[in-house]
Amino acid sequence: MLDFTLSSEQETLRNSLRDFLKKECLPEYVRDCDENARFPEELFGKLAKLGWLGMSIPEEYGGTGASCVDLIVFLEEFARHFEAGANIYYTTTVIAADMLTHFGTEEQKRKFLPRLAKGELRFSFSVTEPDSGSDAAALRTKAQLEGDHWVINGQKMFCSCAQEADYILLLARTDAPKQEGITMFLLDPKTPGVELRKIKKLGLKPMDINEIFLTDVRVPRADTVGAVNKGWTNVLKSFDRERCLLSAVNVGASQACFDLALNYAKQRKQFGKPISEHQPIKGKLVDMDMEISAARMLLYRSAWEVDRGTNNSRSSGLARLKSAETYMQVALEGMRIMAGWGFLMEFDMQRHYRDARLAEIAPTPEILRLVIGREILQ
């Protein structure tokens, strides 16, 4: 039976996080991180002390073993206060926790997961290359085994948080077949032959994005994650959960846009009354609320299915597509409601408008529709 009622523990988690963020993640702090493209170091240190960086890590390795529903409750609330921060949380902790938990050796789990839960390590994840974006499995970065080391050469693109990472989970080609010739490695970015180049971008400024150049980079054989030539297969297994969790970020950020627009509309007066009482503005607010509610329902259905281990590609794809388009739509409508004020950098709506552009194009909606369409036609 499908039930969207949160447990008492989940309600406590959301309320505790909300109270924490209201105190430690003020709008002025978020604006400073955005305007200066600054990683929220202080905030993540406090999250670590409270044990919230270990949510996706099993209890035997120092985490709390949170369910997918637990995580979307957390990420939605986080994104409502700091959308880029929620993206960073997913990128630097959740991806690595999932990959190491499911595909790492016992030695890797005991070496990395407890330190990840304590906030002592950060990870990044690198798949995309200049010539392989939507067709990610067409990557050409090559790894050759030489004795007890892999030697990697190639170039990566759009790698998030590499500047802050202690390790990069990197995919490289180890054999000729397209999908069945890819392997995952743990790469220390300080290894000789690794060069990072930070890329300037429109939004999500606290989360750095990088090019990576790899020239005769030597990675110990022990730092292979999962079976050789099975890296892409393993990544595919995580896609449903990834789409679900990133949908939570979009829904939380969409709610933040609605909150900003509603508060502004209640306070701004024109023609003798608040603009929220004018029918055109009221209609926009209703449409925004409707779209966010629909995206949230798709999100919770997707998470519910992930936790039950059912085939989730269709639901997770729908949640990801709807939430991304909703975020862009409500950010745009929020700009329209605030008019000239929304265009000013001192107000937060413009930041959401910039951040929402990435949610809408990565992955492209066309690719998501192909994934969903394939499931519908089966």
Side-chain angles (χ1 to χ4, degrees):
M1 178 179 174
L2 191 62
D3 184 3
F4 292 148
T5 304
L6 297 182
S7 68
S8 59
E9 292 82 3
Q10 289 163 345
E11 289 279 6
T12 298
L13 170 65
R14 182 172 63 184
N15 293 337
S16 298
L17 179 62
R18 182 176 298 168
D19 291 342
F20 167 81
L21 292 171
K22 283 181 178 179
K23 178 182 178 183
E24 303 292 348
C25 191
L26 297 172
E28 294 78 12
Y29 177 77
V30 176
R31 289 171 200 149
D32 177 66
C33 290
D34 177 70
E35 290 171 5
N36 295 293
R38 186 170 69 81
F39 187 91
E41 189 78 40
E42 311 85 356
L43 181 64
F44 272 74
K46 293 170 183 175
L47 289 170
K49 289 180 180 178
L50 291 169
W52 279 331
L53 296 187
M55 288 186 62
S56 54
I57 295 171
E59 292 182 17
E60 59 264 38
Y61 302 108
T64 57
S67 68
C68 190
V69 173
D70 295 336
L71 281 166
I72 67 167
V73 169
F74 182 90
L75 286 169
E76 182 184 349
E77 188 62 35
F78 197 168
R80 191 172 181 178
H81 297 262
F82 191 2
E83 191 261 349
N87 265 293
I88 290 171
Y89 179 93
Y90 175 78
T91 301
T92 59
T93 61
V94 177
I95 295 178
D98 284 354
M99 292 299 169
L100 291 170
T101 296
H102 291 103
F103 310 117
T105 64
E106 186 62 27
E107 182 181 355
Q108 288 171 340
K109 293 175 187 178
R110 296 200 178 279
K111 179 179 178 180
F112 295 114
L113 290 178
R115 295 186 66 194
L116 181 60
K118 294 175 183 176
E120 296 174 357
L121 292 177
R122 295 193 185 110
F123 285 77
S124 184
F125 185 60
S126 182
V127 180
T128 305
E129 298 184 2
D131 294 323
S132 61
S134 296
D135 187 13
L139 62 87
R140 294 188 295 182
T141 293
K142 191 172 183 179
Q144 290 183 305
L145 187 60
E146 295 185 3
D148 60 352
H149 281 73
W150 292 92
V151 179
I152 304 178
N153 286 278
Q155 181 181 353
K156 292 293 183 178
M157 195 73 181
F158 302 128
C159 182
S160 302
C161 296
Q163 299 281 344
E164 300 293 332
D166 299 286
Y167 290 93
I168 299 171
L169 287 167
L170 182 136
L171 294 186
R173 184 160 302 285
T174 46
D175 203 350
K178 186 175 180 180
Q179 281 88 1
E180 294 300 321
I182 296 172
T183 302
M184 184 182 298
F185 301 96
L186 277 165
L187 172 66
D188 182 341
K190 297 185 291 297
T191 303
V194 178
E195 179 186 351
L196 304 180
R197 186 176 74 86
K198 191 173 182 179
I199 305 170
K200 293 183 179 180
K201 58 190 188 304
L202 177 67
L204 286 177
K205 291 182 178 292
M207 184 173 75
D208 57 86
I209 289 183
N210 304 268
E211 268 185 295
I212 306 177
F213 301 91
L214 304 139
T215 306
D216 294 332
V217 177
R218 297 180 65 82
V219 174
R221 193 171 185 173
D223 286 345
T224 305
V225 179
V228 174
N229 294 331
K230 295 299 181 182
W232 184 250
T233 303
N234 292 342
V235 167
L236 285 178
K237 293 176 183 177
S238 71
F239 272 6
D240 290 347
R241 181 175 163 93
E242 174 194 355
R243 293 184 184 118
C244 182
L245 296 178
L246 290 178
S247 298
V249 176
N250 293 336
V251 170
S254 299
Q255 188 65 53
C257 292
F258 177 79
D259 295 342
L260 290 169
L262 178 62
N263 290 336
Y264 177 86
K266 287 179 176 180
Q267 295 172 15
R268 175 69 168 169
K269 291 184 178 180
Q270 293 287 278
F271 304 103
K273 60 182 179 181
I275 64 171
S276 60
E277 297 182 17
H278 293 281
Q279 190 59 40
I281 301 298
K282 190 180 295 184
K284 287 181 181 294
L285 292 168
V286 170
D287 288 345
M288 292 165 73
D289 187 46
M290 176 177 64
E291 296 300 327
I292 294 168
S293 296
R296 184 176 286 116
M297 289 299 101
L298 288 171
L299 165 64
Y300 274 79
R301 184 181 73 175
S302 175
W304 184 82
E305 290 179 355
V306 167
D307 282 338
R308 279 150 186 78
T310 59
N311 182 7
N312 186 248
S313 295
R314 181 178 178 183
S315 292
S316 66
L318 286 170
R320 183 73 172 87
L321 181 63
K322 178 61 178 177
S323 66
E325 294 186 347
T326 296
Y327 187 21
M328 189 67 251
Q329 180 181 346
V330 298
L332 178 58
E333 291 297 348
M335 292 279 283
R336 287 170 174 161
I337 289 172
M338 294 183 69
W341 299 102
F343 197 65
L344 301 182
M345 296 300 288
E346 63 185 282
F347 290 90
D348 294 330
M349 193 64 77
Q350 53 76 28
R351 186 185 74 247
H352 283 291
Y353 182 76
R354 288 185 287 110
D355 288 354
R357 300 306 308 189
L358 183 61
E360 188 186 35
I361 63 174
T364 64
E366 290 80 10
I367 291 296
L368 282 172
R369 284 182 165 86
L370 284 174
V371 171
I372 298 164
R374 185 167 58 240
E375 293 296 317
I376 289 173
L377 294 174
Q378 280 186 351

mmCIF file of all heavy atoms in Angstrom, residues 314 318 366-378:
data_model
loop_
_atom_site.group_PDB
_atom_site.id
_atom_site.type_symbol
_atom_site.label_atom_id
_atom_site.label_comp_id
_atom_site.label_asym_id
_atom_site.label_seq_id
_atom_site.Cartn_x
_atom_site.Cartn_y
_atom_site.Cartn_z
ATOM 1 N N ARG A 314 11.031 4.241 -14.780
ATOM 2 C CA ARG A 314 9.952 5.123 -15.250
ATOM 3 C C ARG A 314 9.607 6.171 -14.202
ATOM 4 O O ARG A 314 9.557 7.370 -14.500
ATOM 5 C CB ARG A 314 8.723 4.297 -15.606
ATOM 6 C CG ARG A 314 7.551 5.125 -16.138
ATOM 7 C CD ARG A 314 6.402 4.210 -16.516
ATOM 8 N NE ARG A 314 5.244 4.953 -16.977
ATOM 9 C CZ ARG A 314 4.084 4.392 -17.318
ATOM 10 N NH1 ARG A 314 3.956 3.067 -17.267
ATOM 11 N NH2 ARG A 314 3.056 5.131 -17.720
ATOM 12 N N LEU A 318 10.337 10.178 -14.457
ATOM 13 C CA LEU A 318 9.239 11.151 -14.402
ATOM 14 C C LEU A 318 9.467 12.183 -13.298
ATOM 15 O O LEU A 318 9.242 13.379 -13.489
ATOM 16 C CB LEU A 318 7.912 10.430 -14.172
ATOM 17 C CG LEU A 318 7.338 9.657 -15.355
ATOM 18 C CD1 LEU A 318 6.164 8.790 -14.902
ATOM 19 C CD2 LEU A 318 6.882 10.606 -16.464
ATOM 20 N N GLU A 366 15.389 15.757 -23.229
ATOM 21 C CA GLU A 366 15.206 14.819 -24.336
ATOM 22 C C GLU A 366 15.686 13.416 -23.963
ATOM 23 O O GLU A 366 15.044 12.407 -24.281
ATOM 24 C CB GLU A 366 15.962 15.325 -25.574
ATOM 25 C CG GLU A 366 15.368 16.573 -26.217
ATOM 26 C CD GLU A 366 15.748 17.855 -25.491
ATOM 27 O OE1 GLU A 366 16.629 17.806 -24.590
ATOM 28 O OE2 GLU A 366 15.175 18.903 -25.810
ATOM 29 N N ILE A 367 16.828 13.355 -23.256
ATOM 30 C CA ILE A 367 17.344 12.052 -22.825
ATOM 31 C C ILE A 367 16.410 11.406 -21.813
ATOM 32 O O ILE A 367 16.116 10.202 -21.875
ATOM 33 C CB ILE A 367 18.754 12.200 -22.233
ATOM 34 C CG1 ILE A 367 19.762 12.558 -23.335
ATOM 35 C CG2 ILE A 367 19.184 10.932 -21.510
ATOM 36 C CD1 ILE A 367 19.934 11.485 -24.387
ATOM 37 N N LEU A 368 15.917 12.193 -20.868
ATOM 38 C CA LEU A 368 14.986 11.646 -19.880
ATOM 39 C C LEU A 368 13.708 11.134 -20.548
ATOM 40 O O LEU A 368 13.176 10.083 -20.172
ATOM 41 C CB LEU A 368 14.640 12.711 -18.841
ATOM 42 C CG LEU A 368 15.698 12.958 -17.769
ATOM 43 C CD1 LEU A 368 15.330 14.169 -16.929
ATOM 44 C CD2 LEU A 368 15.864 11.734 -16.874
ATOM 45 N N ARG A 369 13.234 11.851 -21.546
ATOM 46 C CA ARG A 369 12.030 11.386 -22.250
ATOM 47 C C ARG A 369 12.297 10.093 -23.009
ATOM 48 O O ARG A 369 11.415 9.235 -23.130
ATOM 49 C CB ARG A 369 11.514 12.493 -23.175
ATOM 50 C CG ARG A 369 10.779 13.605 -22.427
ATOM 51 C CD ARG A 369 10.232 14.683 -23.355
ATOM 52 N NE ARG A 369 9.264 15.510 -22.651
ATOM 53 C CZ ARG A 369 9.570 16.576 -21.915
ATOM 54 N NH1 ARG A 369 10.848 16.944 -21.816
ATOM 55 N NH2 ARG A 369 8.638 17.272 -21.290
ATOM 56 N N LEU A 370 13.512 9.930 -23.528
ATOM 57 C CA LEU A 370 13.863 8.665 -24.179
ATOM 58 C C LEU A 370 13.842 7.520 -23.172
ATOM 59 O O LEU A 370 13.346 6.424 -23.459
ATOM 60 C CB LEU A 370 15.248 8.777 -24.814
ATOM 61 C CG LEU A 370 15.354 9.559 -26.126
ATOM 62 C CD1 LEU A 370 16.814 9.698 -26.536
ATOM 63 C CD2 LEU A 370 14.553 8.887 -27.229
ATOM 64 N N VAL A 371 14.406 7.763 -21.973
ATOM 65 C CA VAL A 371 14.423 6.731 -20.929
ATOM 66 C C VAL A 371 12.994 6.353 -20.529
ATOM 67 O O VAL A 371 12.644 5.160 -20.457
ATOM 68 C CB VAL A 371 15.202 7.235 -19.697
ATOM 69 C CG1 VAL A 371 15.044 6.256 -18.527
ATOM 70 C CG2 VAL A 371 16.682 7.418 -20.035
ATOM 71 N N ILE A 372 12.177 7.365 -20.282
ATOM 72 C CA ILE A 372 10.794 7.105 -19.860
ATOM 73 C C ILE A 372 10.007 6.434 -20.981
ATOM 74 O O ILE A 372 9.248 5.480 -20.756
ATOM 75 C CB ILE A 372 10.111 8.420 -19.445
ATOM 76 C CG1 ILE A 372 10.842 9.043 -18.246
ATOM 77 C CG2 ILE A 372 8.641 8.176 -19.100
ATOM 78 C CD1 ILE A 372 10.484 10.503 -18.007
ATOM 79 N N GLY A 373 10.206 6.905 -22.218
ATOM 80 C CA GLY A 373 9.506 6.328 -23.352
ATOM 81 C C GLY A 373 9.839 4.865 -23.551
ATOM 82 O O GLY A 373 8.976 4.033 -23.883
ATOM 83 N N ARG A 374 11.116 4.522 -23.335
ATOM 84 C CA ARG A 374 11.536 3.121 -23.468
ATOM 85 C C ARG A 374 10.808 2.253 -22.450
ATOM 86 O O ARG A 374 10.385 1.126 -22.766
ATOM 87 C CB ARG A 374 13.042 3.034 -23.284
ATOM 88 C CG ARG A 374 13.600 1.649 -23.528
ATOM 89 C CD ARG A 374 15.122 1.675 -23.651
ATOM 90 N NE ARG A 374 15.748 2.238 -22.473
ATOM 91 C CZ ARG A 374 16.518 3.329 -22.488
ATOM 92 N NH1 ARG A 374 16.728 3.982 -23.618
ATOM 93 N NH2 ARG A 374 17.067 3.765 -21.365
ATOM 94 N N GLU A 375 10.634 2.769 -21.233
ATOM 95 C CA GLU A 375 9.920 2.012 -20.204
ATOM 96 C C GLU A 375 8.433 1.874 -20.531
ATOM 97 O O GLU A 375 7.835 0.838 -20.314
ATOM 98 C CB GLU A 375 10.093 2.705 -18.846
ATOM 99 C CG GLU A 375 11.512 2.680 -18.301
ATOM 100 C CD GLU A 375 11.993 1.268 -18.004
ATOM 101 O OE1 GLU A 375 11.204 0.494 -17.432
ATOM 102 O OE2 GLU A 375 13.134 0.944 -18.360
ATOM 103 N N ILE A 376 7.846 2.931 -21.074
ATOM 104 C CA ILE A 376 6.420 2.904 -21.408
ATOM 105 C C ILE A 376 6.131 1.869 -22.488
ATOM 106 O O ILE A 376 5.110 1.153 -22.451
ATOM 107 C CB ILE A 376 5.960 4.303 -21.886
ATOM 108 C CG1 ILE A 376 5.930 5.274 -20.693
ATOM 109 C CG2 ILE A 376 4.578 4.250 -22.536
ATOM 110 C CD1 ILE A 376 5.645 6.706 -21.083
ATOM 111 N N LEU A 377 7.059 1.749 -23.448
ATOM 112 C CA LEU A 377 6.822 0.893 -24.614
ATOM 113 C C LEU A 377 7.188 -0.569 -24.368
ATOM 114 O O LEU A 377 6.970 -1.403 -25.243
ATOM 115 C CB LEU A 377 7.608 1.438 -25.812
ATOM 116 C CG LEU A 377 7.141 2.805 -26.331
ATOM 117 C CD1 LEU A 377 8.069 3.323 -27.408
ATOM 118 C CD2 LEU A 377 5.710 2.715 -26.858
ATOM 119 N N GLN A 378 7.771 -0.863 -23.218
ATOM 120 C CA GLN A 378 8.130 -2.262 -22.940
ATOM 121 C C GLN A 378 6.894 -3.138 -22.760
ATOM 122 O O GLN A 378 5.901 -2.714 -22.204
ATOM 123 C CB GLN A 378 9.003 -2.331 -21.676
ATOM 124 C CG GLN A 378 10.443 -1.970 -21.946
ATOM 125 C CD GLN A 378 11.312 -2.177 -20.718
ATOM 126 O OE1 GLN A 378 10.822 -2.422 -19.626
ATOM 127 N NE2 GLN A 378 12.617 -2.036 -20.891
#
